[in-house]
Amino acid sequence: AWIKVEQLKPYHAHKEEMIKINKGKRFQQAVDAVEEFLRKTKGKDQASSHNSSEEKNRRNSSEERGKQSAGEEKRKASLSEGKLKKGTGEGKKRVSSVSSERGSKSPLKRAQDQSPRKRGRPPKDEKDLTIPESSTVKRVMTGTVAGFKWPPSVSEPVKDSDPHFHHFLLSQTEKPAVCYQAITKKLKICEEETGSTSIQAADSTAVNGSITPTDKKIGFLGLGLMGSGIVSNLLKMGHTVTVWNRTAEKCDLFIQEGARLGRTPAEVVSTCDITFACVSDPKAAKDLVLGPSGVLQGIRPGKCYVDMSTVDADTVTELAQVIVSRGGRFLEAPVSGNQQLSNDGMLVILAAGDRGLYEDCSSCFQAMGKTSFFLGEVGNAAKMMLIVNMVQGSFMATIAEGLTLAQVTGQSQQTLLDILNQGQLASIFLDQKCQNILQGNFKPDFYLKYIQKDLRLAIALGDSVNHPTPMAAAANEVYKRAKALDQSDNDMSAVYRAYIH
């Protein structure tokens, strides 16, 4: 993991303060590991000091015996000056030999020989603290980390040796105040083969050579909570992007950052090679394609359309059919995440449809998401996305239910959160949504009206295959209640208010 320099603090000075603030199990494990390392280091220092003193006494003893031996040689070799010099030289040679032989079996050396770990590898709890210039680092670089592949230079694009393998990237994630802050370095970790194709990236940029932006012209339709972050990351990575939004004013910021303005969806599609779209629901997705000056009017053979909206399988199948009927190429690619993850380029992309188009979108998906999956034929991604959001929406409703029950029974909501954060349910999602509720801050990160829409579509998906979805159905009713209380445009965590009215 990458850590900002300003977030690093001296351990002893801030230890007590940080332990009070951070009560997570992993944080405590980290503290225990540090303490264990310090104990080991202190023990080694004492042993080293003792061994150094003993070694010094042995060397002094060896030198004294060497001097006596040299004196005897001088007395015996008194015939000539030349013989005296020769005898003295031999005496020195023997002194060196004796000293070397005795020194090689010092207690410190014997302790090292008996150590179970292999020489040349630092222990796990030491390697991160090693001085960069030391030889230990060189050994680590050629040993433990030998399998890692480091980012290439700016002039060297990342290449996949096989179309079925895609590079995985891991990096520091900035939390920009604006969407266009500079991005930090990336580390190319490995290439993996999975059942479904998967590409992983985060805040990638062409400047540091991690990945190279496609030379295709990119279009983007829809600049809502998710679309804005996606376009931001496409521009940061050096893509040529043309944008359109129903409310034209939302395009202004992106135009200032180098995007081009499209007057209609049809114009964007006709002037770009690959056009992405991210809108709110099935009706908006259909209107965008089939409406006046819509996407379909700009489609001609070879043009590519990627729908990133969360809709039902029937809707996305219909859109795919009309696009392909005009000679276009179609890919569905709904995204899992929220506004913050979109801004950070950490979305999860679920794609299905034209496999070749999925490959062509590689650099774009790496710019906007931390990982992407290819799930096969059109409709599969829509179904999977609805199932993911069904689970998330039901979990959010349960969190709100638990917090309100704690309140009415006289229990501390904060204590409940602390307990949950120490258990198996601990997660960033749980903590953030509970904090929203405790602070009464429901600024939208994922609109409540959209999670209710996804629950409704997931229930319909279950109906289509005669599969029961009682938990989702119950959660859906609570969200409908929250919408009736004018919470639609708040964050999904505002479902809490349905329980307190």
Side-chain angles (χ1 to χ4, degrees):
W2 294 84
I3 302 175
K4 294 181 181 179
V5 173
E6 59 267 25
Q7 291 178 339
L8 295 174
K9 297 181 180 180
Y11 176 72
H12 291 290
H14 294 270
K15 171 184 168 184
E16 297 300 327
E17 169 195 350
M18 295 304 294
I19 288 177
K20 290 179 182 178
I21 297 175
N22 298 277
K23 300 181 179 180
K25 182 178 180 180
R26 294 192 178 185
F27 181 83
Q28 187 57 52
Q29 289 175 341
V31 172
D32 293 341
V34 171
E35 293 293 340
E36 179 64 20
F37 172 77
L38 292 175
R39 284 194 295 272
K40 288 182 179 179
T41 303
K42 185 176 180 181
K44 289 179 180 178
D45 289 344
Q46 292 175 348
S48 176
S49 175
H50 175 74
N51 290 333
S52 295
S53 176
E54 188 172 335
E55 190 70 17
K56 184 176 180 182
N57 292 336
R58 287 179 177 275
R59 283 199 299 269
N60 290 340
S61 177
S62 296
E63 289 174 2
E64 187 64 30
R65 285 192 294 271
K67 287 179 181 178
Q68 294 174 359
S69 177
E72 292 176 3
E73 288 293 327
K74 287 182 181 180
R75 286 193 295 273
K76 292 180 180 179
S78 57
L79 295 176
S80 65
E81 185 177 354
K83 289 184 179 179
L84 180 59
K85 289 179 180 179
K86 181 179 178 181
T88 305
E90 290 175 351
K92 289 182 179 179
K93 184 175 181 180
R94 282 194 294 272
V95 170
S96 176
S97 176
V98 169
S99 177
S100 175
E101 183 177 346
R102 291 180 179 273
S104 66
K105 292 299 180 181
S106 69
L108 177 62
K109 186 67 177 179
R110 287 195 298 271
Q112 290 174 344
D113 290 342
Q114 293 168 1
S115 175
R117 64 180 174 86
K118 298 178 181 178
R119 278 178 275 179
R121 287 181 184 268
K124 290 182 179 178
D125 55 356
E126 291 179 13
K127 64 182 178 184
D128 291 336
L129 301 176
T130 308
I131 300 173
E133 290 79 8
S134 72
S135 60
T136 305
V137 169
K138 295 179 181 178
R139 291 196 295 272
V140 171
M141 294 299 290
T142 56
T144 310
V145 197
F148 286 13
K149 297 183 179 179
W150 299 92
S153 63
V154 175
S155 60
E156 181 186 353
V158 174
K159 296 181 180 179
D160 294 328
S161 58
D162 185 284
H164 297 288
F165 289 79
H166 297 270
H167 50 284
F168 282 68
L169 299 171
L170 184 64
S171 78
Q172 172 183 4
T173 299
E174 294 287 343
K175 293 186 177 178
V178 234
C179 295
Y180 303 98
Q181 286 186 350
I183 317 159
T184 51
K185 296 181 180 179
K186 304 301 159 299
L187 171 62
K188 183 170 181 286
I189 299 270
C190 64
E191 292 180 350
E192 293 186 2
E193 182 179 17
T194 59
S196 59
T197 303
S198 177
I199 303 172
Q200 180 169 334
D203 266 357
S204 301
T205 171
V207 176
N208 64 27
S210 293
I211 53 178
T212 304
T214 178
D215 57 2
K216 297 181 184 298
K217 295 178 181 177
I218 304 300
F220 203 94
L221 312 175
L223 299 173
L225 289 182
M226 307 298 281
S228 295
I230 291 172
V231 171
S232 166
N233 284 300
L234 287 172
L235 290 171
K236 282 191 287 189
M237 249 199 55
H239 291 87
T240 301
V241 185
T242 300
V243 296
W244 174 89
N245 191 68
R246 186 172 54 184
T247 306
E249 292 76 20
K250 286 190 176 182
C251 297
D252 293 343
L253 179 61
F254 301 99
I255 303 250
Q256 293 172 14
E257 295 298 325
R260 301 173 184 179
L261 178 64
R263 292 175 296 179
T264 65
E267 180 184 280
V268 174
V269 173
S270 64
T271 58
C272 296
D273 300 305
I274 303 174
T275 300
F276 294 87
C278 188
V279 292
S280 58
D281 55 34
K283 183 180 183 303
K286 288 182 180 180
D287 290 345
L288 189 62
V289 173
L290 305 173
S293 300
V295 167
L296 195 59
Q297 295 184 23
I299 291 291
R300 60 179 185 269
K303 292 296 181 180
C304 302
Y305 187 63
V306 182
D307 195 336
M308 308 191 79
S309 313
T310 300
V311 297
D312 57 286
D314 290 341
T315 296
V316 78
T317 300
E318 180 183 344
L319 296 180
Q321 289 173 348
V322 296
I323 295 294
V324 173
S325 69
R326 294 290 182 89
R329 301 167 64 195
F330 182 86
L331 185 75
E332 61 165 331
V335 294
S336 177
N338 54 32
Q339 183 183 28
Q340 186 61 57
L341 293 174
S342 177
N343 291 342
D344 292 342
M346 296 291 285
L347 296 170
V348 175
I349 300 138
L350 310 182
D354 189 317
R355 176 60 180 265
L357 178 51
Y358 174 77
E359 303 290 345
D360 291 340
C361 293
S362 175
S363 71
C364 296
F365 288 159
Q366 290 172 40
M368 63 182 76
K370 67 176 181 179
T371 189
S372 68
F373 297 91
F374 185 77
L375 303 178
E377 63 183 17
V378 169
N380 285 347
K383 295 172 185 176
M384 184 68 81
M385 191 73 259
L386 291 177
I387 295 168
V388 169
N389 283 357
M390 179 188 76
V391 173
Q392 181 173 271
S394 299
F395 183 44
M396 181 67 252
T398 300
I399 292 171
E401 189 172 293
L403 285 172
T404 51
L405 183 58
Q407 184 180 41
V408 298
T409 56
Q411 305 305 306
S412 165
Q413 293 179 321
Q414 180 62 57
T415 300
L416 172 61
L417 174 57
D418 292 341
I419 293 170
L420 291 174
N421 274 335
Q422 293 296 324
Q424 294 179 326
L425 293 179
S427 66
I428 295 174
F429 178 83
L430 171 73
D431 187 62
Q432 288 180 342
K433 297 309 179 185
C434 285
Q435 293 295 348
N436 287 353
I437 292 171
L438 294 177
Q439 296 167 15
N441 174 21
F442 300 109
K443 179 181 176 182
D445 194 40
F446 192 119
Y447 283 116
L448 183 143
K449 60 185 177 183
Y450 292 159
I451 196 67
Q452 190 273 322
K453 175 261 300 182
D454 294 342
L455 280 166
R456 173 172 53 82
L457 294 176
I459 293 168
L461 176 62
D463 287 344
S464 70
V465 291
N466 197 31
H467 182 78
T469 53
M471 300 299 105
N476 186 46
E477 293 303 315
V478 182
Y479 282 100
K480 285 162 64 177
R481 169 67 175 161
K483 287 177 66 178
L485 295 169
D486 296 325
Q487 301 302 313
S488 291
D489 292 325
N490 282 333
D491 185 70
M492 63 188 295
S493 54
V495 69
Y496 171 80
R497 288 179 171 169
Y499 288 98
I500 59 176
H501 284 80

